[in-house]
Amino acid sequence: MNDTPGWASPGSAPSDGQEPGTSGPDRPADRPESEQPADQSGPQPQGSGPKWSKEQPPPAQWSAPTGPTAPGQTPPPPPPGPGWGNHPPAGPGGGPGDYGGPGGYSSWGGGWGGPPPAAKPGVIPLRPLGVGEILDGAVSTMRAYWRTVLGIALTVAVLTEIVIVLLQGFFLNDRIDTDALEDPSATFSELSRAMGDAMLSLGAISVISLIGTVVATALLTTVTSRAVLGKSVTIGEAWSDARPQLARLFGLIFLLVLIAFGIVAVGVLPGVLVAATGAGEAGAALTALGSLCALVVAVWLLLRFSLASPALMLEKQGIVKSMSRSVKLVRGSWWRIFGIQLLAMLIASILASIIAIPFAFLADAFGGSGGSGLLDSGSGDLSWTYLVVSGIGSVIGSMITFPISAGVTVLLYIDQRIRREALDLELARAAGVQGYGSDTPGS
């Protein structure tokens, strides 16, 4: 098998044996006259050596004569040669539907053979993956290596939630006011200010959550990549592998966030300028349209960079190189990756909501707000009790959703490299799969 990635072709190398009639110890010219076949032992023209008949059996069926055949005895038939025409051997059951091999077929290249099944040393088979296999691989990684996975996810979730609670308690509670959004008599300026405060609060929390998600993805990348090979990894090993790349990882996060904010600012700026001239309704409409267009462009661009984090962690590349690698891997598969990422995000959001909503009710009951905490969670007037209890629910939810989101991202990266660069051959070598790729027919 070649060392360069690529799919192996079916078939075998040509034989190195000698064909009949070539030089060798068994050629007819080297045989004594007494060992010539009986039909060739008659008188020969003078000056010419012994000759063989021009009609000889095929080379694969040739065998040395064992002696003269008695009159009237039928010689045994030659052994069948390899090819597509032979019936496969019967399996243990011996029935007509039993085709021998463990996969239900005989070997590729003989009989009614089909391609052998893909090797699966870890949580996924080493071949292009389907949607269900990617989601199942993420869940299987969390189930098989739950100590390491949940330990990393819990650590990142606790640190992220502490920052969010402190930000809401010390900053957002005092400076965010969204009451005008529920006041039908509020003026346009009051509505604009309230909307700006709501977007600031949501944006700050989203940025912190994004940082936590990307860091968890980076730390879980090592775990998932080892799980593909069927090998475990400890929290210390994952940290040792991720630590040299953390500075570049935060640089990547900062650059992606800057790009997203830049796109949104460019989309909203025309509406803000029009509203500043006195045309309030036209400015609001233009702002809404610009925000929508900016959101579409930001989603399209950020998805093209969605595989930059695993590329940076696994390939040990720089920021720009990992972004270009992500663009190359996503090219031509944007909608497929978008659908898988959206499905994973919906599943993670549903799981997080199932866990967070009961804690939100408990937080509201312990906080003594009489239901106002649930209804006015974006107003900034939240008690510390509500923030802490709801934060515990968010930590538990993040501890479950982080591994799913991270696992899907890493497995998408591996799947795209298998499809484009035959990474399955390198993974098979790393997992110690013997002979993988030498007889594999391909994708």
Side-chain angles (χ1 to χ4, degrees), residues 157-178 197-209 360 363 373-374 376-395:
V158 167
L159 294 177
T160 302
E161 196 61 32
I162 288 176
V163 175
I164 291 177
V165 169
L166 294 178
L167 178 67
Q168 287 182 315
F170 287 109
F171 179 76
L172 298 181
N173 273 350
D174 298 332
R175 302 194 179 188
I176 300 300
D177 184 11
T178 59
D197 290 343
M199 291 182 62
L200 176 62
S201 175
L202 180 61
I205 296 175
S206 299
V207 168
I208 297 174
S209 300
L374 291 174
D376 302 330
S377 58
S379 64
D381 299 327
L382 301 175
S383 65
W384 282 102
T385 303
Y386 181 90
L387 292 176
V388 172
V389 176
S390 62
I392 294 175
S394 299
V395 167

Side-chain angles (χ1 to χ4, degrees), residues 410-427:
V410 177
L411 292 179
L412 270 174
Y413 164 82
I414 294 176
D415 174 61
Q416 289 300 111
R417 287 202 60 186
I418 288 177
R419 293 173 180 269
R420 296 177 179 271
E421 302 171 0
L423 182 66
D424 58 322
L425 301 180
E426 301 295 337
L427 295 176

Side-chain angles (χ1 to χ4, degrees), residues 270-328:
V272 174
L273 294 178
V274 171
T277 60
E281 295 181 358
L286 188 58
T287 301
L289 180 61
S291 301
L292 181 61
C293 294
L295 178 63
V296 172
V297 174
V299 170
W300 174 80
L301 190 60
L302 291 179
L303 191 69
R304 289 171 64 88
F305 297 141
S306 61
L307 303 182
S309 175
L312 184 143
M313 299 304 299
L314 291 179
E315 300 180 18
K316 312 300 181 184
Q317 301 286 354
I319 297 175
V320 178
K321 181 64 177 179
S322 62
M323 293 174 67
S324 64
R325 284 284 292 155
S326 177
V327 171
K328 179 181 177 181

